[in-house]
Amino acid sequence: MVYKNYINGKWLSSDSKKTFDSLNPATEQGVGKFQKSDKIDVKKAIKSAKKAFPVWRDMPAPERAKYLWKIRDCLIKEKERLAKIEVKEMGKVLKETRGDVQEAIDIFEYMAGEGRRLFGYTTKSELPDKFAMTVRNPVGVCCLITPWNFPIAIPAWKIAPALICGNTIVFKPSSDTPLCAIELAKIIEKSGLPKGVFNLVTGSGKDVGDEMITNPDVRAISFTGSKKIGELILKKAGIKKVGLELGGKNVIIVDKDVDLELAVEGVIWGAFGTTGQRCTASSRVVVHKNIKKKFEDMLVKRVRKLKLGSGLTADIGPLINETAVKKSASYVSIGKEEGSRLLHGGKARKIKGKGYFFEPTIFTNCKSEMKICQEEIFGPIVSIIEAKNMDEATKIANDVDYGLSNAVYTRDMKTAFDVINKGETGITYINSSTIGAEVHLPFGGVKGTGNGTREAGIEGINEFSETKAVYFDYSGKLQKAQGIE
Ligand code: NAD
């Protein structure tokens, strides 16, 4: 099946006349052919978004919200079907793809409610008979560029706030998961959104992404992906509003005296959920020396039981593609060369001769400065580092360039608050894993994880709106601020 771009309310073939394939990572079979779009397609999409902008901007926000409700209702109806498509195209296990669709439902629901808020504030003017307030205005044409690991939720996290704030959209999904994007676009189309408000263009980062970033009619870029591409976008975008949600090197700290079963469960979920391909994946575990051996024994015992295979039946699905397998394999070699000890896993696997599978892998006796403890691997590999005490653990936790999520298992209040207050991350979990965001809280990170924007919650509204200060003078004379006579 050949899928098309969605521009100005129509499904169109690319000007390039070229297509690319998206593969099922468990079977290596194609799931469809997609438009390998070029700059001309992107320009068309941006033009249509620009034309639609005044109509959408001028529609009252509670009216805009009605479209978001329809999208939310349709997502609920289609949840199971979408979750199964996602297993086929992205590979993660069904219970997680259901969660991905649920996150999309949640954000459309939350942002539809924002249609009746979108608050500004009022304040007192320093002058008499003058009223002061702020209002939120949309930014304009927004280009959304997304990765493949949450192919429904991440686009939804951008589309819902962008729409409710009154922006128009050109969306470019990852070329590893274009089918999920097309299915989401079909649902958005069903809501009856005015033509041109939402546009979808598939294709490479180089051809499609570059035009989005540099086109002068685009006012904002919202990007989720790797640090490398995020930095490149920031350099190229010039004076545009740029939101960056980048990688992570997240950590779970395990104190002595904790419920070790609970901590082990959290590490398995954090390190091997989504086959380690989450920006919030727990790729480091810093363990108190007193319980390290016991913790490792319990962890390995549990991990041995995990079954690799298709996301429809197994505990751990495949990696996204061959490149990801090579990347994980190379970090296993690096880990061994650096002197850490392989406790479990370490190998790429095929099932019936096919698929990009990789064993859940545990390294121990790792040192914080090792590459496997510093670089984002984005595979099912976790490194265990020993700490003498919780002060040292907190320092090790911060010893990376990234700052998305951290977690601590502890019964000690001071340790918990030290991790909250001194941990250099945008998200902290106490007594749970590094993953599990909820849509009404801000999502994002510090340091190499981003440039200060946050998605979801009210912060998601900040990303997609401009705040305007309004001075309303009803004195009937020229009044000058700062006491100028
Ligand atoms: P990626 O950076 O390779 O690609 C992301 C998107 O950027 C894709 O759509 C890609 O086509 C596009 N792109 C590539 N080159 C481009 C260019 N030159 N100009 C414009 N666009 C370009 O990342 P990925 O492999 O798809 O995703 C994995 C990364 O995403 C990991 O680093 C992960 O941590 C990160 N991620 C972050 C979050 C977060 O919220 N912080 C969430 C999920 C994933």
Side-chain angles (χ1 to χ4, degrees), residues 146-149 172 223-226 229 245-247 279 376 443:
T146 58
W148 45 266
N149 64 337
K172 187 204 103 57
F223 172 81
T224 300
S226 62
I229 304 294
E245 302 295 335
L246 311 176
C279 50
E376 187 183 43
F443 185 91

Side-chain angles (χ1 to χ4, degrees), residues 95-132:
K95 63 182 178 194
E96 290 187 40
T97 59
R98 285 185 185 128
D100 196 39
V101 182
Q102 188 58 47
E103 252 182 88
I105 294 166
D106 294 345
I107 196 79
F108 274 101
E109 188 173 296
Y110 178 91
M111 290 299 169
E114 272 303 317
R116 288 195 180 268
R117 285 186 291 268
L118 290 181
F119 294 137
Y121 58 87
T122 62
T123 183
K124 298 291 178 191
S125 166
E126 64 185 51
L127 293 162
D129 296 335
K130 198 171 178 185
F131 180 73

